[in-house]
């Protein structure tokens, strides 16, 4: 289980005070909570910066202290207005660059537009565009696996929250030994397998659920294109037509009867697939259902739907602020990941190895 002893952290954080500046780019007060926790663990004060919107909706950033020759860490979490969040980060990075900062490191717990990481029909890879914009001025330390796709041409440390979720399972679910880790679709089976192996538990996979609409729109670079009318392309071409996909009946591969079902995934946003999975598990005899995810976007009516569902508890980290959603749904619980972010900042600032933070971490975690 990943853990940095608190006594060890307290003894070594004081050396980060010289030459380090910690900023939070969010003008949204609810997004400042994670930044404050990180600052407390590091034993430093938050840097003085003013971020606000002009009457014409333009973003303005004013750095209110010297950053010349210093390592600047900009913590940016995602608020409801994603595009404003991005502009705040980019403008602050540029402001620090023109103020002669020694280095600029973006700490991005959740990478915006991370769902748009594949080519869609007549679309674009927006996450690659955003990564290119960030690469102009900063080194990034983030959580989302989008950074594995090679979109960044600068050093990146892809931290993981799974050790904290595993710790929550062991400490907060009394009968977790009677649990089974569940993948709500075959696509998330690797993540579920990683959790199951670390907890020495069984695994179950739900097969046959309806796929997301966007998964059927992947461009031919990722899957062979379909042709509605071969003759319409050219009479002399004989392109074979693919057989249309047919969704099989929903089945659960694995025994969940009389067990605690723990569904694991990376992001929980639109909760329809989670609700359907919970209903299926209830029908198969699971007596308690947990959902564990790193990023809790919980958009729209997600809190209300979770409260009315068969799900007993949803556990997410504080990479994204969701205090309002927690007030709407008591089933939502939060795991704090400020410890790993603060330790990453300390190690980067001191030029220490980051390998300690990746002990026993695999690509599927």
């Amino acid at each position: 289980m990943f853990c940095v002893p608190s006594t060890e952290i307290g003894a070594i954080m004081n050396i980060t005070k010289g030459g380090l500046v910690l900023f939070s780019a969010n003008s949204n007060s609810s997004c400042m909570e994670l930044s404050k926790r990180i600052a407390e663990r590091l034993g430093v004060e938050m840097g003085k910066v003013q971020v606000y919107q002009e009457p014409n909706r333009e973003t303005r950033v004013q750095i209110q202290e010297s950053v010349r020759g210093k390592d600047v860490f900009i913590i940016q979490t995602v608020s409801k207005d994603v595009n404003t969040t991005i502009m705040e980060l980019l403008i602050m990075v540029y402001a620090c660059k023109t103020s002669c900062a020694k280095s600029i490191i973006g700490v991005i717990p959740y990478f915006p537009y991370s769902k748009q990481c594949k080519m869609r029909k007549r679309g674009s890879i927006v996450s690659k565009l955003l990564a290119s914009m960030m690469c102009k001025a900063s080194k990034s330390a983030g959580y989302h696996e989008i950074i594995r796709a090679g979109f960044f041409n600068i050093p990146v440390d892809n931290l993981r929250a799974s050790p904290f979720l595993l710790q929550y399972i062991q400490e907060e679910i009394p009968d977790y030994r009677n649990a089974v880790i569940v993948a709500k679709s075959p696509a998330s089976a690797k993540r579920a397998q990683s959790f199951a192996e670390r907890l020495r538990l069984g695994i179950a996979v739900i097969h046959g659920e309806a796929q997301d609409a966007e998964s059927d729109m992947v461009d031919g670079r990722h899957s062979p294109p379909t042709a509605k009318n071969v003759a319409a392309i050219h009479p002399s071409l004989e392109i074979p037509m693919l057989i249309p996909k047919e969704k099989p009946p929903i089945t659960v591969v694995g025994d969940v009867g009389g067990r605690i079902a723990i569904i694991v995934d990376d992001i929980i946003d639109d909760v329809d697939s989670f609700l359907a999975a919970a209903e299926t598990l209830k029908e198969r005899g699971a007596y308690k259902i947990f959902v564990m995810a790193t990023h809790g976007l919980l958009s729209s009516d997600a809190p209300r739907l979770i409260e009315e569902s068969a799900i007993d508890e949803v556990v997410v980290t504080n990479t994204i602020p969701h205090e309002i959603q927690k007030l709407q749904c008591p089933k939502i619980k939060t795991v704090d990941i400020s410890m790993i972010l603060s330790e990453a900042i300390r190690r980067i600032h001191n030029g220490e190895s980051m390998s300690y933070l990746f002990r026993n971490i695999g690509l599927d975690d």
Side-chain angles (χ1 to χ4, degrees), residues 199-301:
L199 294 169
R200 311 295 192 267
L201 299 176
I203 183 174
V205 180
I206 299 176
H207 181 57
E209 67 172 350
Q211 295 183 350
D212 295 335
E214 65 174 4
S215 64
D216 291 328
M217 297 173 62
V218 177
D219 188 80
R221 295 165 230 255
H222 295 276
S223 60
T226 57
K228 292 184 178 179
N229 188 346
V230 175
I233 300 174
H234 195 279
S236 63
L237 294 177
E238 296 183 0
I239 300 176
M241 186 178 295
L242 290 178
I243 300 172
K245 293 180 180 179
E246 291 186 7
K247 302 289 190 286
I250 293 180
T251 57
V252 178
V253 181
D255 182 21
V256 296
R259 312 281 288 278
I260 299 172
I262 303 176
I263 304 172
V264 297
D265 212 331
D266 186 23
I267 301 172
I268 176 168
D269 186 6
D270 179 11
V271 296
D272 290 345
S273 59
F274 290 92
L275 302 184
E279 288 296 333
T280 300
L281 294 170
K282 276 289 185 184
E283 292 172 3
R284 299 302 194 278
Y287 73 90
K288 214 166 188 180
I289 300 172
F290 291 80
V291 175
M292 315 284 294
T294 301
H295 309 292
L297 275 69
L298 302 169
S299 303
S300 263
D301 293 331

Side-chain angles (χ1 to χ4, degrees), residues 113-349:
Y113 288 97
S114 57
K115 290 185 177 181
Q116 299 186 45
C117 61
K118 294 181 180 179
M119 176 63 74
R120 309 298 174 187
K121 293 179 180 178
R122 299 183 182 88
S124 61
I125 308 176
V126 183
S127 54
K128 179 174 174 59
L129 170 64
L130 182 55
S132 298
M133 294 166 68
M134 291 181 177
C135 285
K136 297 296 181 182
S138 70
K139 172 184 175 182
S140 299
Y143 255 95
H144 200 273
E145 65 178 323
I146 190 71
I147 62 181
R148 273 200 259 150
F151 294 162
F152 287 91
N153 57 12
I154 52 178
V156 173
D157 294 306
N158 183 17
L159 305 178
R160 304 295 204 281
S162 54
F164 297 91
L165 296 176
L166 290 166
Q167 186 179 43
Y168 184 94
I169 292 173
Q170 292 176 313
E171 295 180 356
E172 302 297 331
I173 303 178
D175 301 326
Y176 85 92
R177 288 294 181 189
N178 186 38
V180 58
I181 305 298
V182 179
K184 67 180 179 67
S185 68
S188 56
K190 284 187 177 180
R191 184 181 300 273
Q193 182 180 356
S194 176
F195 271 66
E197 289 175 352
R198 295 180 189 283
L199 294 169
R200 311 295 192 267
L201 299 176
I203 183 174
V205 180
I206 299 176
H207 181 57
E209 67 172 350
Q211 295 183 350
D212 295 335
E214 65 174 4
S215 64
D216 291 328
M217 297 173 62
V218 177
D219 188 80
R221 295 165 230 255
H222 295 276
S223 60
T226 57
K228 292 184 178 179
N229 188 346
V230 175
I233 300 174
H234 195 279
S236 63
L237 294 177
E238 296 183 0
I239 300 176
M241 186 178 295
L242 290 178
I243 300 172
K245 293 180 180 179
E246 291 186 7
K247 302 289 190 286
I250 293 180
T251 57
V252 178
V253 181
D255 182 21
V256 296
R259 312 281 288 278
I260 299 172
I262 303 176
I263 304 172
V264 297
D265 212 331
D266 186 23
I267 301 172
I268 176 168
D269 186 6
D270 179 11
V271 296
D272 290 345
S273 59
F274 290 92
L275 302 184
E279 288 296 333
T280 300
L281 294 170
K282 276 289 185 184
E283 292 172 3
R284 299 302 194 278
Y287 73 90
K288 214 166 188 180
I289 300 172
F290 291 80
V291 175
M292 315 284 294
T294 301
H295 309 292
L297 275 69
L298 302 169
S299 303
S300 263
D301 293 331
R304 178 182 60 82
L305 294 173
I306 292 171
E307 186 65 25
E308 297 172 355
S309 72
I311 297 173
D312 292 282
E313 194 169 286
V314 173
V315 182
V316 293
T317 71
N318 57 346
T319 57
I320 298 170
H322 46 261
E323 295 306 315
I324 296 176
Q325 290 90 331
K326 288 175 69 174
L327 293 175
Q328 297 171 342
C329 177
K331 291 182 180 180
I332 301 172
K333 308 296 180 184
T334 306
V335 174
D336 179 30
I337 47 81
S338 62
M339 177 185 289
I340 193 170
L341 291 176
S342 59
E343 179 64 5
I345 290 172
R346 189 194 68 80
R347 286 175 178 269
I348 291 172
H349 174 61

